[in-house]
Amino acid sequence: MADTGKEEAGQKKKILRDVYLFSGVPEADLEALAHLAVSKAFARQATIFWEGREAQGFYLLSRGYIKLMKSSPEGKEYIIRLVGPGETFAEAAVFSDASYPATAMALEDCQTLFFPKAPFLRHLAASPTLARNMLATLSRLMLHLTRQLEDLSLKEVSARLARYLLERCQERHGRIEKGLAFELPTTKTHLAAYLGTIGETLSRTLSRLKSQGVIEVEKGRITITDPAVLKKIASGKKR
Amino acid sequence: MADTGKEEAGQKKKILRDVYLFSGVPEADLEALAHLAVSKAFARQATIFWEGREAQGFYLLSRGYIKLMKSSPEGKEYIIRLVGPGETFAEAAVFSDASYPATAMALEDCQTLFFPKAPFLRHLAASPTLARNMLATLSRLMLHLTRQLEDLSLKEVSARLARYLLERCQERHGRIEKGLAFELPTTKTHLAAYLGTIGETLSRTLSRLKSQGVIEVEKGRITITDPAVLKKIASGKKR
DNA sequence: CGGCCTGTTGATGCGACTCAATTCAGGTGG
DNA sequence: CCACCTGAATTGAGTCGCATCAACAGGCCG
């Protein structure tokens, strides 16, 4: 698992270069960061860490997808965030609380770089650029969490789904207009947990949107046929 | 509104000294920060900033209480955070997005110090301690947001209320045990919006807890009579 | 006093979760 | 290559939590 030679260190540095968190960080610092990072692989379905366990560092995901989730005593789960290649996760756990606030689980076979807390903090103190990037990263995450809170407290499922579809379209094509299509990630059950609902309700809501002529659905593929109405639904307005 | 002399600058520095964000920051830096901070007062019910407006800086609340909230097209509102004296707010808006993600409103007459974005960022780059404190502050806020997400997605109103009551008790007395009492802040309507519900439901839920013999209620004062059961309700377990 | 705001209580309706049955797709092994 | 199993997705019927609407009591202030 640990660093076994120069080649591997070079490999790691190459990964760091494309990550937002390390953008603008001087070459020498990048080198040092690559050396303190530890490669860790996880198989599909493996738990990377449990909520409540002591936080020993944060992760950079270089391959695969993972979910960050909370689960209830009854077994229901809520997905706080889906993380893909090039993204970091559990950053916040390094700075305040000693324990992870959620559980991380691999959705497929994953490759990560793990940054141990103490050495990373030492490094951070010496690199204003890195600190600034980290602040920006946390800020964006907070914005994301705030949006989810708004959705859960003020919007119903159809509005959350509509917003999600619009975001996906924007992300995939850089714009939103009639006829654009995109794939849904992973399973619909996961998407349901991400939207704060369950599979059955998501299924019904999707088919309602379809029958309203707002979208078309085939397999895991969505085509937007009426962006204007979809936006209205996403805004939560009833009439 | 702006700095009008040495005395006022001294006053401001005194305020900064007791704020977590500035703990451990050298005296000289504190001096500079006090100079760039601008005093701003707001009357009860005044809006400090609107969601979506361009973020020009963040605030330190020195006197009074404010709420950070989202509101729906139908007029319903959700309170993300209640902020009291000595706390900062809108910090995250400074680092990433150019606009405030929520609306801030004064619940009573307030006194604040406003830190304009650009000069503060310049200062931050030169002060590792300040950067570190800011990271810790954002991390704690994220933890708070994550808990609220968990509550809204997985727990029902009685569980959220129970958790809130336990937190208040812990905050007020440093421990949780039978017979301890505390006051509810502001109005119950506000508390309801904070818990993601409405006044009527909060009222019913409180009286249900009372009839179960878990708490006693008189005016705005709560006495915990059965901590064990209250904790069980807060955990969300059905049986 | 009369307005206004907050809080309480009751009746009703809607959205979404639960439970259960069925279909379907993918993967496995005989 | 087909029978089998498993997990995902869909659909229907029933229930529950909570918001909505409405009426009313109490406290505060002009």
Side-chain angles (χ1 to χ4, degrees):
Chain A
M1 296 272 240
D3 185 5
T4 54
K6 270 184 201 164
E7 292 144 42
E8 205 177 309
Q11 195 91 8
K12 288 194 279 188
K13 206 170 71 177
K14 220 168 69 188
I15 294 171
L16 300 195
R17 236 187 283 273
D18 293 328
V19 174
Y20 173 81
L21 182 59
F22 303 110
S23 63
V25 171
E27 192 68 13
D29 290 351
L30 224 51
E31 187 92 32
L33 285 163
H35 270 94
L36 71 84
V38 182
S39 287
K40 291 192 181 187
F42 297 91
R44 181 181 141 80
Q45 297 281 28
T47 301
I48 298 167
F49 52 76
W50 289 97
E51 170 178 1
R53 289 289 298 275
E54 187 196 355
Q56 295 165 326
F58 75 97
Y59 293 81
L60 163 57
L61 185 61
S62 55
R63 189 171 51 79
Y65 281 86
I66 69 119
K67 62 178 175 185
L68 292 172
M69 57 156 193
K70 290 263 188 184
S71 47
S72 78
E74 272 81 27
K76 197 182 162 189
E77 75 176 50
Y78 174 72
I79 298 182
I80 297 176
R81 198 180 143 208
L82 287 169
V83 182
E87 294 185 81
T88 52
F89 60 99
E91 315 87 344
V94 166
F95 300 104
S96 63
D97 208 62
S99 59
Y100 293 113
T103 300
M105 189 172 291
L107 297 177
E108 30 184 281
D109 291 354
C110 285
Q111 190 64 48
T112 69
L113 288 179
F114 174 74
F115 295 85
K117 188 169 172 168
F120 182 79
L121 284 178
R122 273 195 295 279
H123 213 94
L124 193 83
S127 171
T129 306
L130 186 57
R132 177 63 207 277
N133 288 349
M134 184 60 94
L135 283 165
T137 300
L138 294 189
S139 296
R140 269 204 298 262
L141 287 174
M142 283 183 68
L143 187 66
H144 182 239
L145 295 178
T146 305
R147 273 220 198 101
Q148 288 181 85
L149 274 178
E150 176 183 12
D151 271 11
L152 283 178
S153 59
L154 301 174
K155 309 272 181 69
E156 41 199 52
V157 173
S158 57
R160 293 180 228 157
L161 175 58
R163 160 132 92 181
Y164 176 81
L165 294 178
L166 290 169
E167 275 173 7
R168 286 295 296 179
C169 185
Q170 177 71 40
E171 191 179 305
R172 173 74 180 72
H173 295 102
R175 65 190 194 282
I176 294 161
E177 62 188 47
K178 178 174 169 144
L180 292 182
F182 51 89
E183 312 287 332
L184 291 178
T186 69
T187 67
K188 289 189 183 165
T189 309
H190 277 135
L191 176 55
Y194 180 72
L195 294 176
T197 182
I198 56 176
E200 293 93 317
T201 301
L202 175 60
S203 179
R204 287 183 239 273
T205 309
L206 268 173
S207 60
R208 193 159 2 108
L209 287 182
K210 196 164 91 178
S211 72
Q212 289 175 358
V214 176
I215 57 171
E216 270 166 26
V217 187
E218 37 167 345
K219 288 278 204 171
R221 191 172 181 76
I222 304 282
T223 308
I224 293 183
T225 51
D226 194 337
V229 172
L230 197 56
K231 278 177 192 166
K232 207 185 101 199
I233 295 173
S235 79
K237 288 200 192 74
K238 290 284 174 59
R239 50 188 151 276
Chain B
M1 294 272 241
D3 185 5
T4 54
K6 271 185 200 165
E7 291 143 41
E8 205 177 309
Q11 195 90 8
K12 287 194 278 186
K13 204 169 74 177
K14 222 169 67 189
I15 294 170
L16 300 195
R17 235 189 283 272
D18 293 329
V19 174
Y20 173 80
L21 182 59
F22 302 109
S23 63
V25 171
E27 191 67 14
D29 290 350
L30 225 51
E31 186 91 33
L33 285 163
H35 269 93
L36 71 85
V38 181
S39 286
K40 291 192 181 187
F42 298 91
R44 180 180 142 80
Q45 296 282 29
T47 300
I48 299 167
F49 53 76
W50 289 97
E51 169 179 1
R53 288 290 299 275
E54 188 195 355
Q56 295 165 325
F58 75 97
Y59 294 82
L60 162 59
L61 185 62
S62 55
R63 190 171 50 80
Y65 281 86
I66 68 117
K67 64 178 175 184
L68 293 172
M69 58 156 193
K70 290 261 187 185
S71 46
S72 78
E74 272 80 28
K76 198 180 161 190
E77 75 176 50
Y78 173 72
I79 298 182
I80 296 175
R81 200 179 140 207
L82 288 168
V83 183
E87 294 184 82
T88 52
F89 60 99
E91 315 88 341
V94 168
F95 300 105
S96 62
D97 208 62
S99 59
Y100 293 112
T103 300
M105 189 173 290
L107 296 177
E108 30 184 282
D109 290 354
C110 286
Q111 191 63 50
T112 69
L113 288 179
F114 174 75
F115 294 85
K117 188 168 171 168
F120 182 79
L121 284 178
R122 273 195 295 279
H123 212 93
L124 194 84
S127 170
T129 307
L130 186 58
R132 176 63 206 277
N133 288 349
M134 185 59 95
L135 282 166
T137 300
L138 293 189
S139 296
R140 268 203 298 262
L141 287 175
M142 283 183 67
L143 187 66
H144 181 239
L145 294 178
T146 304
R147 273 219 196 101
Q148 287 181 87
L149 274 178
E150 176 182 11
D151 271 13
L152 284 180
S153 59
L154 301 174
K155 309 273 181 68
E156 40 197 53
V157 173
S158 57
R160 294 179 229 159
L161 175 58
R163 159 132 92 182
Y164 176 82
L165 294 177
L166 289 168
E167 275 174 7
R168 286 295 297 177
C169 183
Q170 178 71 38
E171 193 179 305
R172 173 75 178 73
H173 295 103
R175 64 189 196 283
I176 292 160
E177 62 187 47
K178 181 175 168 143
L180 292 182
F182 52 90
E183 312 287 332
L184 291 178
T186 69
T187 67
K188 288 190 183 167
T189 309
H190 277 135
L191 177 54
Y194 180 71
L195 294 176
T197 183
I198 56 175
E200 293 94 316
T201 301
L202 175 61
S203 179
R204 286 182 240 272
T205 310
L206 268 173
S207 61
R208 193 158 3 107
L209 287 182
K210 197 164 93 180
S211 71
Q212 288 174 356
V214 176
I215 58 171
E216 271 166 24
V217 187
E218 38 168 345
K219 291 275 202 172
R221 191 172 180 77
I222 305 282
T223 308
I224 292 182
T225 51
D226 194 336
V229 172
L230 196 58
K231 278 178 192 166
K232 207 185 100 199
I233 295 173
S235 79
K237 288 198 195 74
K238 289 285 174 60
R239 46 188 155 275

PDB file of all heavy atoms in Angstrom, chain A residues 207-229:
ATOM      1  N   SER A 207     -41.900   9.199 -14.040  1.00  0.00           N
ATOM      2  CA  SER A 207     -42.920   8.892 -15.046  1.00  0.00           C
ATOM      3  C   SER A 207     -43.965  10.007 -15.116  1.00  0.00           C
ATOM      4  O   SER A 207     -44.570  10.235 -16.158  1.00  0.00           O
ATOM      5  CB  SER A 207     -43.567   7.539 -14.759  1.00  0.00           C
ATOM      6  OG  SER A 207     -44.171   7.549 -13.499  1.00  0.00           O
ATOM      7  N   ARG A 208     -44.141  10.731 -13.994  1.00  0.00           N
ATOM      8  CA  ARG A 208     -45.055  11.871 -14.048  1.00  0.00           C
ATOM      9  C   ARG A 208     -44.476  12.971 -14.950  1.00  0.00           C
ATOM     10  O   ARG A 208     -45.171  13.535 -15.791  1.00  0.00           O
ATOM     11  CB  ARG A 208     -45.326  12.417 -12.643  1.00  0.00           C
ATOM     12  CG  ARG A 208     -46.494  13.366 -12.609  1.00  0.00           C
ATOM     13  CD  ARG A 208     -47.134  13.545 -11.228  1.00  0.00           C
ATOM     14  NE  ARG A 208     -46.488  12.809 -10.168  1.00  0.00           N
ATOM     15  CZ  ARG A 208     -45.746  13.363  -9.214  1.00  0.00           C
ATOM     16  NH1 ARG A 208     -45.541  14.652  -9.216  1.00  0.00           N
ATOM     17  NH2 ARG A 208     -45.213  12.625  -8.260  1.00  0.00           N
ATOM     18  N   LEU A 209     -43.171  13.248 -14.793  1.00  0.00           N
ATOM     19  CA  LEU A 209     -42.519  14.231 -15.654  1.00  0.00           C
ATOM     20  C   LEU A 209     -42.624  13.804 -17.123  1.00  0.00           C
ATOM     21  O   LEU A 209     -42.825  14.627 -18.012  1.00  0.00           O
ATOM     22  CB  LEU A 209     -41.044  14.398 -15.270  1.00  0.00           C
ATOM     23  CG  LEU A 209     -40.746  15.152 -13.973  1.00  0.00           C
ATOM     24  CD1 LEU A 209     -39.247  15.278 -13.762  1.00  0.00           C
ATOM     25  CD2 LEU A 209     -41.387  16.527 -13.973  1.00  0.00           C
ATOM     26  N   LYS A 210     -42.485  12.495 -17.336  1.00  0.00           N
ATOM     27  CA  LYS A 210     -42.550  11.985 -18.699  1.00  0.00           C
ATOM     28  C   LYS A 210     -43.953  12.217 -19.276  1.00  0.00           C
ATOM     29  O   LYS A 210     -44.098  12.708 -20.400  1.00  0.00           O
ATOM     30  CB  LYS A 210     -42.217  10.488 -18.698  1.00  0.00           C
ATOM     31  CG  LYS A 210     -41.882   9.954 -20.065  1.00  0.00           C
ATOM     32  CD  LYS A 210     -41.191   8.608 -19.971  1.00  0.00           C
ATOM     33  CE  LYS A 210     -42.157   7.445 -20.007  1.00  0.00           C
ATOM     34  NZ  LYS A 210     -41.469   6.133 -19.959  1.00  0.00           N
ATOM     35  N   SER A 211     -44.956  11.893 -18.470  1.00  0.00           N
ATOM     36  CA  SER A 211     -46.321  12.024 -18.986  1.00  0.00           C
ATOM     37  C   SER A 211     -46.714  13.490 -19.160  1.00  0.00           C
ATOM     38  O   SER A 211     -47.633  13.810 -19.902  1.00  0.00           O
ATOM     39  CB  SER A 211     -47.303  11.316 -18.048  1.00  0.00           C
ATOM     40  OG  SER A 211     -47.439  12.049 -16.852  1.00  0.00           O
ATOM     41  N   GLN A 212     -46.005  14.382 -18.478  1.00  0.00           N
ATOM     42  CA  GLN A 212     -46.248  15.810 -18.681  1.00  0.00           C
ATOM     43  C   GLN A 212     -45.541  16.324 -19.933  1.00  0.00           C
ATOM     44  O   GLN A 212     -45.666  17.493 -20.284  1.00  0.00           O
ATOM     45  CB  GLN A 212     -45.765  16.617 -17.460  1.00  0.00           C
ATOM     46  CG  GLN A 212     -46.624  16.441 -16.217  1.00  0.00           C
ATOM     47  CD  GLN A 212     -46.024  17.156 -15.013  1.00  0.00           C
ATOM     48  OE1 GLN A 212     -44.958  17.738 -15.096  1.00  0.00           O
ATOM     49  NE2 GLN A 212     -46.723  17.108 -13.890  1.00  0.00           N
ATOM     50  N   GLY A 213     -44.740  15.436 -20.553  1.00  0.00           N
ATOM     51  CA  GLY A 213     -44.041  15.820 -21.769  1.00  0.00           C
ATOM     52  C   GLY A 213     -42.835  16.710 -21.533  1.00  0.00           C
ATOM     53  O   GLY A 213     -42.374  17.402 -22.434  1.00  0.00           O
ATOM     54  N   VAL A 214     -42.303  16.697 -20.310  1.00  0.00           N
ATOM     55  CA  VAL A 214     -41.167  17.553 -19.980  1.00  0.00           C
ATOM     56  C   VAL A 214     -39.841  16.872 -20.298  1.00  0.00           C
ATOM     57  O   VAL A 214     -38.880  17.521 -20.699  1.00  0.00           O
ATOM     58  CB  VAL A 214     -41.230  17.946 -18.483  1.00  0.00           C
ATOM     59  CG1 VAL A 214     -40.013  18.762 -18.099  1.00  0.00           C
ATOM     60  CG2 VAL A 214     -42.501  18.733 -18.211  1.00  0.00           C
ATOM     61  N   ILE A 215     -39.809  15.560 -20.126  1.00  0.00           N
ATOM     62  CA  ILE A 215     -38.595  14.788 -20.427  1.00  0.00           C
ATOM     63  C   ILE A 215     -38.982  13.492 -21.133  1.00  0.00           C
ATOM     64  O   ILE A 215     -40.150  13.098 -21.141  1.00  0.00           O
ATOM     65  CB  ILE A 215     -37.814  14.415 -19.144  1.00  0.00           C
ATOM     66  CG1 ILE A 215     -38.727  13.620 -18.204  1.00  0.00           C
ATOM     67  CG2 ILE A 215     -37.280  15.641 -18.457  1.00  0.00           C
ATOM     68  CD1 ILE A 215     -38.001  13.010 -17.021  1.00  0.00           C
ATOM     69  N   GLU A 216     -37.946  12.855 -21.727  1.00  0.00           N
ATOM     70  CA  GLU A 216     -38.136  11.502 -22.235  1.00  0.00           C
ATOM     71  C   GLU A 216     -37.165  10.597 -21.512  1.00  0.00           C
ATOM     72  O   GLU A 216     -36.045  11.004 -21.203  1.00  0.00           O
ATOM     73  CB  GLU A 216     -37.883  11.458 -23.744  1.00  0.00           C
ATOM     74  CG  GLU A 216     -39.131  11.714 -24.557  1.00  0.00           C
ATOM     75  CD  GLU A 216     -38.804  11.991 -26.009  1.00  0.00           C
ATOM     76  OE1 GLU A 216     -37.749  11.520 -26.480  1.00  0.00           O
ATOM     77  OE2 GLU A 216     -39.602  12.684 -26.663  1.00  0.00           O
ATOM     78  N   VAL A 217     -37.598   9.368 -21.231  1.00  0.00           N
ATOM     79  CA  VAL A 217     -36.768   8.437 -20.483  1.00  0.00           C
ATOM     80  C   VAL A 217     -36.628   7.134 -21.250  1.00  0.00           C
ATOM     81  O   VAL A 217     -37.617   6.594 -21.719  1.00  0.00           O
ATOM     82  CB  VAL A 217     -37.396   8.121 -19.104  1.00  0.00           C
ATOM     83  CG1 VAL A 217     -36.441   7.285 -18.266  1.00  0.00           C
ATOM     84  CG2 VAL A 217     -37.783   9.389 -18.379  1.00  0.00           C
ATOM     85  N   GLU A 218     -35.366   6.683 -21.413  1.00  0.00           N
ATOM     86  CA  GLU A 218     -35.161   5.343 -21.956  1.00  0.00           C
ATOM     87  C   GLU A 218     -33.919   4.775 -21.295  1.00  0.00           C
ATOM     88  O   GLU A 218     -32.859   5.329 -21.386  1.00  0.00           O
ATOM     89  CB  GLU A 218     -35.010   5.366 -23.469  1.00  0.00           C
ATOM     90  CG  GLU A 218     -34.248   6.557 -23.984  1.00  0.00           C
ATOM     91  CD  GLU A 218     -33.842   6.418 -25.442  1.00  0.00           C
ATOM     92  OE1 GLU A 218     -33.905   5.305 -25.967  1.00  0.00           O
ATOM     93  OE2 GLU A 218     -33.424   7.432 -26.028  1.00  0.00           O
ATOM     94  N   LYS A 219     -34.115   3.655 -20.608  1.00  0.00           N
ATOM     95  CA  LYS A 219     -33.010   3.061 -19.840  1.00  0.00           C
ATOM     96  C   LYS A 219     -32.536   4.108 -18.833  1.00  0.00           C
ATOM     97  O   LYS A 219     -33.337   4.729 -18.163  1.00  0.00           O
ATOM     98  CB  LYS A 219     -31.865   2.661 -20.778  1.00  0.00           C
ATOM     99  CG  LYS A 219     -32.176   1.463 -21.625  1.00  0.00           C
ATOM    100  CD  LYS A 219     -31.917   0.213 -20.798  1.00  0.00           C
ATOM    101  CE  LYS A 219     -31.625  -0.978 -21.721  1.00  0.00           C
ATOM    102  NZ  LYS A 219     -31.159  -2.117 -20.949  1.00  0.00           N
ATOM    103  N   GLY A 220     -31.236   4.310 -18.758  1.00  0.00           N
ATOM    104  CA  GLY A 220     -30.712   5.299 -17.820  1.00  0.00           C
ATOM    105  C   GLY A 220     -30.487   6.640 -18.486  1.00  0.00           C
ATOM    106  O   GLY A 220     -29.778   7.491 -17.959  1.00  0.00           O
ATOM    107  N   ARG A 221     -31.147   6.853 -19.625  1.00  0.00           N
ATOM    108  CA  ARG A 221     -30.885   8.051 -20.414  1.00  0.00           C
ATOM    109  C   ARG A 221     -32.076   8.999 -20.370  1.00  0.00           C
ATOM    110  O   ARG A 221     -33.214   8.589 -20.552  1.00  0.00           O
ATOM    111  CB  ARG A 221     -30.597   7.634 -21.859  1.00  0.00           C
ATOM    112  CG  ARG A 221     -30.058   8.746 -22.717  1.00  0.00           C
ATOM    113  CD  ARG A 221     -29.618   8.196 -24.072  1.00  0.00           C
ATOM    114  NE  ARG A 221     -29.083   9.240 -24.897  1.00  0.00           N
ATOM    115  CZ  ARG A 221     -27.867   9.762 -24.731  1.00  0.00           C
ATOM    116  NH1 ARG A 221     -27.088   9.288 -23.801  1.00  0.00           N
ATOM    117  NH2 ARG A 221     -27.445  10.739 -25.516  1.00  0.00           N
ATOM    118  N   ILE A 222     -31.777  10.292 -20.160  1.00  0.00           N
ATOM    119  CA  ILE A 222     -32.824  11.302 -20.069  1.00  0.00           C
ATOM    120  C   ILE A 222     -32.665  12.312 -21.197  1.00  0.00           C
ATOM    121  O   ILE A 222     -31.559  12.753 -21.477  1.00  0.00           O
ATOM    122  CB  ILE A 222     -32.720  12.081 -18.734  1.00  0.00           C
ATOM    123  CG1 ILE A 222     -32.756  11.122 -17.549  1.00  0.00           C
ATOM    124  CG2 ILE A 222     -33.812  13.143 -18.627  1.00  0.00           C
ATOM    125  CD1 ILE A 222     -34.098  10.607 -17.202  1.00  0.00           C
ATOM    126  N   THR A 223     -33.751  12.658 -21.839  1.00  0.00           N
ATOM    127  CA  THR A 223     -33.730  13.745 -22.821  1.00  0.00           C
ATOM    128  C   THR A 223     -34.664  14.849 -22.354  1.00  0.00           C
ATOM    129  O   THR A 223     -35.822  14.580 -22.010  1.00  0.00           O
ATOM    130  CB  THR A 223     -34.202  13.249 -24.200  1.00  0.00           C
ATOM    131  OG1 THR A 223     -33.456  12.092 -24.568  1.00  0.00           O
ATOM    132  CG2 THR A 223     -34.009  14.339 -25.240  1.00  0.00           C
ATOM    133  N   ILE A 224     -34.160  16.057 -22.338  1.00  0.00           N
ATOM    134  CA  ILE A 224     -34.985  17.181 -21.910  1.00  0.00           C
ATOM    135  C   ILE A 224     -35.773  17.713 -23.097  1.00  0.00           C
ATOM    136  O   ILE A 224     -35.195  18.102 -24.114  1.00  0.00           O
ATOM    137  CB  ILE A 224     -34.110  18.298 -21.308  1.00  0.00           C
ATOM    138  CG1 ILE A 224     -33.489  17.796 -20.002  1.00  0.00           C
ATOM    139  CG2 ILE A 224     -34.929  19.556 -21.056  1.00  0.00           C
ATOM    140  CD1 ILE A 224     -32.665  18.812 -19.271  1.00  0.00           C
ATOM    141  N   THR A 225     -37.091  17.723 -22.975  1.00  0.00           N
ATOM    142  CA  THR A 225     -37.906  18.167 -24.108  1.00  0.00           C
ATOM    143  C   THR A 225     -38.580  19.509 -23.848  1.00  0.00           C
ATOM    144  O   THR A 225     -39.033  20.151 -24.779  1.00  0.00           O
ATOM    145  CB  THR A 225     -38.993  17.124 -24.440  1.00  0.00           C
ATOM    146  OG1 THR A 225     -39.706  16.795 -23.250  1.00  0.00           O
ATOM    147  CG2 THR A 225     -38.380  15.861 -25.001  1.00  0.00           C
ATOM    148  N   ASP A 226     -38.660  19.917 -22.590  1.00  0.00           N
ATOM    149  CA  ASP A 226     -39.262  21.219 -22.299  1.00  0.00           C
ATOM    150  C   ASP A 226     -38.551  21.907 -21.144  1.00  0.00           C
ATOM    151  O   ASP A 226     -38.998  21.855 -19.994  1.00  0.00           O
ATOM    152  CB  ASP A 226     -40.750  21.033 -21.977  1.00  0.00           C
ATOM    153  CG  ASP A 226     -41.487  22.364 -21.995  1.00  0.00           C
ATOM    154  OD1 ASP A 226     -40.827  23.414 -21.817  1.00  0.00           O
ATOM    155  OD2 ASP A 226     -42.709  22.357 -22.192  1.00  0.00           O
ATOM    156  N   PRO A 227     -37.421  22.575 -21.467  1.00  0.00           N
ATOM    157  CA  PRO A 227     -36.578  23.187 -20.434  1.00  0.00           C
ATOM    158  C   PRO A 227     -37.339  24.222 -19.604  1.00  0.00           C
ATOM    159  O   PRO A 227     -37.138  24.309 -18.397  1.00  0.00           O
ATOM    160  CB  PRO A 227     -35.464  23.865 -21.235  1.00  0.00           C
ATOM    161  CG  PRO A 227     -35.498  23.249 -22.578  1.00  0.00           C
ATOM    162  CD  PRO A 227     -36.912  22.821 -22.816  1.00  0.00           C
ATOM    163  N   ALA A 228     -38.197  24.978 -20.253  1.00  0.00           N
ATOM    164  CA  ALA A 228     -38.887  26.068 -19.553  1.00  0.00           C
ATOM    165  C   ALA A 228     -39.748  25.523 -18.417  1.00  0.00           C
ATOM    166  O   ALA A 228     -39.656  25.984 -17.273  1.00  0.00           O
ATOM    167  CB  ALA A 228     -39.750  26.862 -20.541  1.00  0.00           C
ATOM    168  N   VAL A 229     -40.567  24.529 -18.736  1.00  0.00           N
ATOM    169  CA  VAL A 229     -41.427  23.949 -17.708  1.00  0.00           C
ATOM    170  C   VAL A 229     -40.588  23.264 -16.625  1.00  0.00           C
ATOM    171  O   VAL A 229     -40.884  23.369 -15.429  1.00  0.00           O
ATOM    172  CB  VAL A 229     -42.427  22.954 -18.333  1.00  0.00           C
ATOM    173  CG1 VAL A 229     -43.192  22.215 -17.252  1.00  0.00           C
ATOM    174  CG2 VAL A 229     -43.392  23.683 -19.252  1.00  0.00           C
TER     175      VAL A 229
END
